[in-house]
């Protein structure tokens, strides 16, 4: 497995509240995590970094080659739930941490499958045969409005509530985690990203910038285009492929 990753504060924010991790697991599998913090500059950065650290520790300690699909699902979901409890507990220890939280998208990629767990609006995409497949569903106000037929996807792009999310780690003592499992072939790529990418580039751009297979350039290309298009938020991209 190959990994290409980059995070950038962008052109507007003074600090970077995004955090990520990508590492090899037993048997050549890969863990990738992207978190986008919220709740104030320092607090958001702290929440996202603590979430990434917690998830990485739990998955790397408990994952082993040959785990069943159900076991991988249980491992990922429990890792995110435990990270939620950790951040929520930390938020109760000091007033400056009150209200902090973070989105999360985490994936385990094996020889045959990709397993994804998430909460919030950080996304996972699979690129397969030139097609971009969104594996996650945004937990956001505008996504609910789209599904209810109140606005179109085009209207959502400039909606005043587009930054309001409905799920995140650390906001409450419990959090509901979504999970999916998809086949992952030799020519497939996985992209994990924060909304600092998806709010500043079109999905067609992702296909265009990854179509030549120059894997080591994927993260840099995507982040650079988001910056070129305004860079109004922190931007993080983790790409995984063979």
């Amino acid at each position: 497995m190959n990994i290409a990753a980059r995070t950038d504060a962008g052109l507007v924010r003074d600090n970077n509240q995004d955090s990520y991790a990508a590492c090899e697991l037993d048997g050549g599998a890969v863990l990738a995590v992207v978190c986008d913090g919220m709740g104030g500059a320092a607090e958001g950065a702290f929440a996202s970094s603590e979430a990434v650290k917690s998830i990485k520790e739990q998955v790397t300690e408990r994952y082993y080659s040959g785990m069943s699909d159900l076991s991988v699902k249980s491992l990922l979901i429990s890792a995110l739930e435990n990270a939620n409890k950790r951040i929520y507990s930390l938020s109760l220890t000091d007033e400056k941490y009150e209200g902090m939280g973070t989105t999360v998208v985490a994936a385990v990629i094996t020889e045959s499958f990709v397993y994804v767990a998430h909460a919030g609006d950080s996304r996972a995409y699979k690129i397969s045969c030139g097609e971009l497949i969104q594996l996650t569903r945004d937990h956001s106000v505008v996504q609910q409005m789209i599904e209810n037929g109140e606005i179109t996807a085009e209207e959502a792009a400039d909606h005043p509530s587009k930054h309001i999310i409905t799920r995140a780690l650390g906001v409450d003592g419990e959090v509901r985690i979504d999970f999916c499992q998809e086949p992952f072939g030799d020519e497939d790529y996985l992209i994990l990203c924060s909304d600092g990418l998806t709010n500043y580039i079109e999905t067609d751009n992702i296909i265009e910038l990854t179509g030549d297979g120059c894997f080591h350039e994927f993260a840099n290309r995507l982040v650079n285009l988001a910056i070129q298009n305004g860079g109004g938020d922190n931007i993080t991209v983790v790409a995984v492929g063979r």
Side-chain angles (χ1 to χ4, degrees), residues 2-203:
N2 296 304
I3 301 167
R6 180 180 168 190
T7 188
D8 194 283
L11 299 178
V12 175
R13 304 291 179 87
D14 291 330
N15 72 328
N16 193 345
Q17 298 182 59
D18 288 359
S19 298
Y20 77 89
C23 63
E24 189 170 316
L25 301 172
D26 184 51
V30 165
L31 167 70
V33 186
V34 169
C35 289
D36 179 358
M38 60 188 191
E43 293 73 27
F46 180 65
S48 68
S49 64
E50 285 295 312
V52 167
K53 178 182 176 182
S54 176
I55 293 164
K56 181 180 178 181
E57 286 178 351
Q58 293 176 73
V59 175
T60 54
E61 288 176 3
R62 295 170 53 196
Y63 179 86
Y64 59 87
S65 180
M67 288 181 79
S68 68
D69 294 341
L70 186 59
S71 294
V72 178
K73 176 181 179 180
S74 177
L75 172 58
L76 267 179
I77 291 176
S78 65
L80 269 61
E81 289 175 341
N82 288 335
N84 176 74
K85 291 176 183 176
R86 172 169 175 73
I87 298 164
Y88 181 68
S89 295
L90 288 169
S91 74
L92 302 178
T93 64
D94 194 313
E95 286 185 1
K96 69 179 181 180
Y97 294 141
E98 184 178 353
M100 72 175 178
T102 181
T103 70
V104 61
V105 57
V108 169
I109 307 95
T110 68
E111 183 177 348
S112 302
F113 293 100
V114 56
Y115 308 84
V116 179
H118 84 290
D121 61 358
S122 293
R123 294 180 181 176
Y125 293 97
K126 184 176 79 166
I127 302 172
S128 183
C129 300
E131 181 183 4
L132 186 70
I133 305 164
Q134 185 172 332
L135 302 180
T136 53
R137 170 191 171 273
D138 291 352
H139 302 136
S140 66
V141 169
V142 294
Q143 182 62 36
Q144 290 181 343
M145 294 174 73
I146 292 170
E147 293 171 1
N148 292 337
E150 299 172 36
I151 60 173
T152 65
E154 291 73 21
E155 291 170 333
D158 297 315
H159 197 279
S161 298
K162 74 174 185 177
H163 295 298
I164 302 176
I165 58 175
T166 55
R167 290 191 217 174
L169 300 186
V171 177
D172 294 302
E174 302 290 335
V175 65
R176 186 154 57 93
I177 304 299
D178 282 358
F179 174 87
C180 72
Q181 174 184 341
E182 292 288 332
F184 197 75
D186 289 341
E187 304 299 323
D188 293 344
Y189 301 105
L190 180 73
I191 303 288
L192 302 188
C193 61
S194 61
D195 68 343
L197 181 78
T198 52
N199 284 337
Y200 288 89
I201 71 171
E202 301 295 331
T203 53

